[in-house]
Amino acid sequence: SANVFPADKRPSDEATCVFQVKVVDKKSYCKAFEGIVRSLDKMENASIPSVTLSKREFLFKDVKYLQLQVESFTISNGPVPCQFEFISKPNEDAYCKPWLIAKPSKGFLMPDSEVVIALELCVNKSTATALNSGEEKLEDILVLHLDRGKDYFLSVSGNYLPSCFGCPIQTLCYMKEPIREMLPEAIRELTLMPLLTDDAFWEEKPLDVPKELWMMVDLLCRSACHQEGLFQQPGLRPEFEQIRDWLDTGTLDVLGPVASNHSVAEALLLFLESLPEPVVCYKSYRSSLECANSYEMSSQVISMLPKCHQNVFHYLVAFLRELLKHTGKNHLDVNVLASIFGGLLLRPPPGHTQPGTAEKQKAQQFIQQFLCHEGGTL
């Protein structure tokens, strides 16, 4: 049992106990902790890709139809291997507008290496109409993304010079002056004008056919009726550009540009291909194919087209008939012409499946019966 000492019998000597307790020096602790965090951050940052761009703003001046413009910049990589890619912005399917493309659009960079990126801008038949009307502008923001790294933003802008290429037939029939001389508001109003079945909507009477179409056909009639391989041999790109400027500005000599017959012929095909609504309107595509065996029914389909489209169809048919009168020298064949122009005057509507062989043959047959039938002249 424990010994109990009475109060008056308590030992006189008191015991001393020594304890060793570890106490954190908050100041030293914070200093050490901050040092470790800095070291970890440094290690992490050292593993994050980082690049330098030689340029982030790009301006494309006086862009013309089918005339490529290129602006380049350099991506310089740091000490970490880097994978880069242009990515689409939220709610957008592609990384850039359809008139722009980056080459290359993605790639891999070794440490301290470089790559040159070319931004190519070209306006074609699918983008020209909206740019002509002002609904679309040459403006875009590109997002260059680094895998495990940050995003870089590039600004693209420019101005487009309106062109007859990509304009609706009806719009061109109401344009009495070259498109480059017209105010943007006037071009927009005419381009967005609904397709009319008659001319009563406007006080001013339109041209029977677009003056640009007449200028090319007139040039070919004067100089190319005996030309072999017409519409089958390609033209020269610089000559096409000269023809395009001639049509859009009307500044060259009235006799036309100094260009080969093949270049003018190709320009005519490109013009027809660029029409947002083909000569035989989309809504008449199916009925045209269905009556390809009957000239009477086919003529009825054409008679139902808007007046300006009717005029252009008959004008082109008369022109092709004129060429066929000189087959002894130009060796043009009605089947070849019907095949070429069948695919341009008759085009399936947007969303339609790609025409098969049978559809193409019917389109050719539809045009061919007009070429073989005795009719009007230019």
Side-chain angles (χ1 to χ4, degrees):
S1 61
N3 294 323
V4 178
F5 295 95
D8 57 344
K9 297 284 181 87
R10 188 175 301 165
S12 58
D13 295 333
E14 294 184 357
T16 301
C17 296
V18 178
F19 296 93
Q20 291 186 345
V21 179
K22 292 183 178 180
V23 178
V24 176
D25 186 334
K26 290 186 178 181
K27 186 175 181 180
S28 300
Y29 176 83
C30 290
K31 186 176 181 181
F33 181 78
E34 290 173 358
I36 293 172
V37 170
R38 281 195 298 269
S39 298
L40 291 174
D41 286 344
K42 187 174 181 181
M43 292 173 60
E44 185 178 358
N45 290 335
S47 65
I48 295 177
S50 179
V51 300
T52 302
L53 307 185
S54 63
K55 192 176 180 182
R56 298 199 191 190
E57 294 184 357
F58 304 88
L59 177 62
F60 294 85
K61 294 182 179 180
D62 297 338
V63 177
K64 298 179 180 180
Y65 184 78
L66 284 187
Q67 187 162 320
L68 178 68
Q69 285 198 29
V70 182
E71 290 284 338
S72 300
F73 70 99
T74 302
I75 301 177
S76 301
N77 192 24
V80 180
C82 167
Q83 186 170 336
F84 69 89
E85 181 179 6
F86 287 98
I87 61 173
S88 59
K89 298 178 285 295
N91 302 320
E92 294 188 10
D93 296 328
Y95 70 84
C96 65
K97 297 290 181 66
W99 35 261
L100 187 67
I101 188 171
K103 293 184 177 180
S105 62
K106 58 183 177 180
F108 183 81
L109 283 172
M110 294 299 289
D112 302 316
S113 62
E114 295 181 343
V115 64
V116 175
I117 306 294
L119 298 181
E120 298 184 354
L121 191 156
C122 186
V123 176
N124 57 26
K125 61 182 180 181
S126 64
T127 54
T129 304
L131 289 168
N132 276 334
S133 67
E135 293 175 283
E136 179 70 41
K137 295 188 181 300
L138 294 180
E139 295 176 352
D140 201 4
I141 299 292
L142 302 185
V143 182
L144 179 64
H145 173 72
L146 303 186
D147 186 29
R148 298 181 300 108
K150 66 177 184 177
D151 294 339
Y152 297 81
F153 298 90
L154 288 71
S155 171
V156 176
S157 60
N159 68 296
Y160 180 67
L161 300 180
S163 175
C164 63
F165 289 85
C167 275
I169 290 175
Q170 179 176 258
T171 299
L172 295 173
C173 286
Y174 278 97
M175 287 185 181
K176 303 297 179 64
E177 54 192 19
I179 190 170
R180 295 265 196 90
E181 294 183 7
M182 299 187 64
L183 295 174
E185 295 77 13
I187 298 174
R188 178 182 178 84
E189 182 181 8
L190 290 175
T191 304
L192 299 180
M193 179 174 63
L195 193 56
L196 308 175
T197 55
D198 57 52
D199 304 330
F201 184 80
W202 289 73
E203 294 180 1
E204 187 176 0
K205 186 180 184 302
L207 300 170
D208 290 332
V209 298
K211 60 187 178 305
E212 296 83 2
L213 176 62
W214 176 86
M215 290 162 73
M216 287 185 284
V217 169
D218 179 65
L219 198 56
L220 290 171
C221 282
R222 286 191 280 108
S223 61
C225 282
H226 298 166
Q227 178 70 59
E228 291 188 39
L230 202 64
F231 301 115
Q232 299 167 73
Q233 292 185 23
L236 300 175
R237 175 59 60 174
E239 291 184 351
F240 164 74
E241 293 173 356
Q242 188 182 14
I243 295 166
R244 177 203 58 214
D245 292 345
W246 171 57
L247 298 174
D248 290 341
T249 65
T251 55
L252 296 180
D253 187 90
V254 69
L255 294 178
V258 180
S260 70
N261 292 329
H262 295 300
S263 294
V264 179
E266 184 179 26
L268 175 58
L269 298 182
L270 290 171
F271 173 81
L272 295 174
E273 185 184 41
S274 74
L275 293 172
E277 183 81 28
V279 177
V280 179
C281 299
Y282 286 131
K283 67 178 182 180
S284 301
Y285 177 74
R286 181 55 57 191
S287 57
S288 299
L289 299 185
E290 290 173 351
C291 64
N293 292 320
S294 169
Y295 176 76
E296 289 74 18
M297 293 180 64
S298 297
S299 298
Q300 188 174 357
V301 170
I302 298 301
S303 69
M304 299 297 290
L305 296 176
K307 187 63 176 176
C308 55
H309 284 250
Q310 287 185 51
N311 292 342
V312 168
F313 182 84
H314 291 306
Y315 184 69
L316 287 170
V317 167
F319 165 59
L320 297 179
R321 282 204 199 106
E322 186 66 25
L323 293 178
L324 289 171
K325 291 179 181 179
H326 304 275
T327 53
K329 293 186 178 181
N330 59 33
H331 305 298
L332 285 173
D333 179 79
V334 65
N335 295 302
V336 173
L337 287 181
S339 177
I340 294 172
F341 282 84
L344 292 172
L345 305 186
L346 273 162
R347 299 203 309 264
H352 189 281
T353 55
Q354 191 69 18
T357 304
E359 276 192 37
K360 291 180 180 178
Q361 287 177 344
K362 285 187 176 181
Q364 175 181 340
Q365 191 175 357
F366 181 87
I367 300 301
Q368 188 168 332
Q369 59 187 342
F370 285 95
L371 299 183
C372 296
H373 193 275
E374 293 298 327
T377 59
L378 285 172

